[in-house]
Amino acid sequence: LPLLREICLRLDGLPLALEMAAARVPALGLTGLLRSLERRFAMLSGGRRDAAARHRTLQAAVDWSHGLLSPDEQALYRVCGAFSGGFTLDLLQAVAQAPEQTSPDDRDWWLVDTLAQLVDRSLVVADDGEAPRYRMLETMREDARQRLRAHGEEDSVLGRQLLALTALGRRVDKGPTIERKGRQAFLLAEHDNLREAIAWGCGPAGAAWRNEVVELACLVAQSATFSSWRLVAVRWLEQCEPLAEHADTPS
């Protein structure tokens, strides 16, 4: 049951994906199937021969849905794939870029309207909070990330994401001491995004943002003091230690 539950979660409960995964169980077993989900689009290609073409592989089904989007919606879909732990509208506004012909006054409304289309098509999921938080199903996020990479946009989008998280971390850090709960809430909500941003910033692609990744790791460590995230933050600081020797950030 634990393996089945994890497989269903990783496949987002999508009926087509579950049907294709079930066909692989005799050959792979549950453990092998779960391990193979790292390459889900290559592995889930066993649809019924009498099914419509778009239902014969998981990739074909996603391609068909993607093809229904306008160019603007496709572009925002790719950007949404950069977020690991979901995102707020403010965070997306700091990372997404509106079409060149969009006026500054219309930019925010363009983003809201385009994001609403992705939600309506179930490519992005919104929670029921007062200030909604958005996320992509893992299947869609993996596809969006692949498309982001194929379009040569990955480094620029991840760089803007790193800058946005650093700016958010600064705002949280400048709050009064009594707002510690708010700092912990920030760390909890953005944990996955912070983890991936710092890991990417420590790699070769993040060389241009070396100062920001060191600053972000330090801001996270301050917010994590005396919390359950302290050891995680310490590991992030250790990861950034080689960068800090060459970074130009305030001590």
Side-chain angles (χ1 to χ4, degrees):
L1 283 178
L3 283 174
L4 285 172
R5 186 181 301 112
E6 182 63 21
I7 289 169
C8 290
L9 288 173
R10 293 284 301 279
L11 292 176
D12 307 308
L14 297 173
L16 178 62
L18 293 173
E19 180 182 345
M20 293 179 179
R24 298 292 190 182
V25 172
L28 298 174
L30 291 178
T31 302
L33 176 63
L34 181 60
R35 203 163 39 234
S36 298
L37 289 182
E38 296 298 329
R39 306 183 310 278
R40 70 184 69 196
F41 288 111
M43 190 266 294
L44 298 180
S45 57
R48 300 192 311 273
R49 295 181 183 274
D50 60 345
R54 66 177 182 269
H55 289 159
R56 290 177 187 169
T57 69
L58 182 60
Q59 185 65 68
V62 175
D63 287 345
W64 181 78
S65 296
H66 181 266
L68 298 176
L69 302 177
S70 70
D72 285 355
E73 291 164 355
Q74 291 178 356
L76 189 61
Y77 171 80
R78 295 193 298 270
V79 172
C80 290
F83 296 97
S84 175
F87 54 90
T88 61
L89 184 59
D90 287 344
L91 193 55
L92 184 62
Q93 286 172 330
V95 178
Q97 291 185 324
E100 293 182 1
Q101 66 273 19
T102 306
S103 68
D105 293 339
D106 293 336
R107 183 184 181 279
D108 289 345
W109 288 116
W110 169 86
L111 184 66
V112 170
D113 290 341
T114 309
L115 180 60
Q117 290 298 317
L118 297 181
V119 172
D120 287 344
R121 295 178 184 274
S122 300
L123 297 175
V124 172
V125 179
D127 65 23
D128 298 325
E130 178 67 22
R133 189 170 180 86
Y134 301 88
R135 64 181 177 85
M136 298 187 86
L137 301 180
E138 276 304 306
T139 300
M140 302 307 175
R141 180 176 182 260
E142 183 177 333
D143 175 72
R145 193 64 175 264
Q146 289 177 1
R147 295 179 191 275
L148 189 69
R149 193 173 299 119
H151 278 75
E153 301 168 335
E154 187 175 39
D155 288 345
S156 60
V157 169
L158 294 182
R160 293 197 299 272
Q161 183 192 48
L162 177 61
L163 293 175
L165 287 169
T166 304
L168 182 57
R170 288 192 200 111
R171 292 202 302 270
V172 172
D173 183 63
K174 288 180 179 178
T177 305
I178 59 174
E179 291 186 358
R180 182 174 298 276
K181 288 185 178 180
R183 300 182 188 187
Q184 301 303 324
F186 156 73
L187 187 63
L188 180 62
E190 304 300 343
H191 180 270
D192 289 338
N193 286 325
L194 292 167
R195 172 177 50 80
E196 289 204 358
I198 291 172
W200 175 83
C202 288
W209 292 272
R210 179 178 293 147
N211 293 343
E212 286 76 14
V213 71
V214 172
E215 181 182 2
L216 181 59
C218 293
L219 289 169
V220 168
Q222 292 175 18
S223 298
T225 304
F226 304 118
S227 76
S228 58
W229 302 106
R230 182 175 60 83
L231 294 180
V232 176
V234 168
R235 286 198 295 271
W236 289 348
L237 284 175
E238 292 172 347
Q239 192 176 357
C240 292
E241 188 174 354
L243 301 182
E245 298 177 0
H246 307 286
D248 184 23
T249 55
S251 58

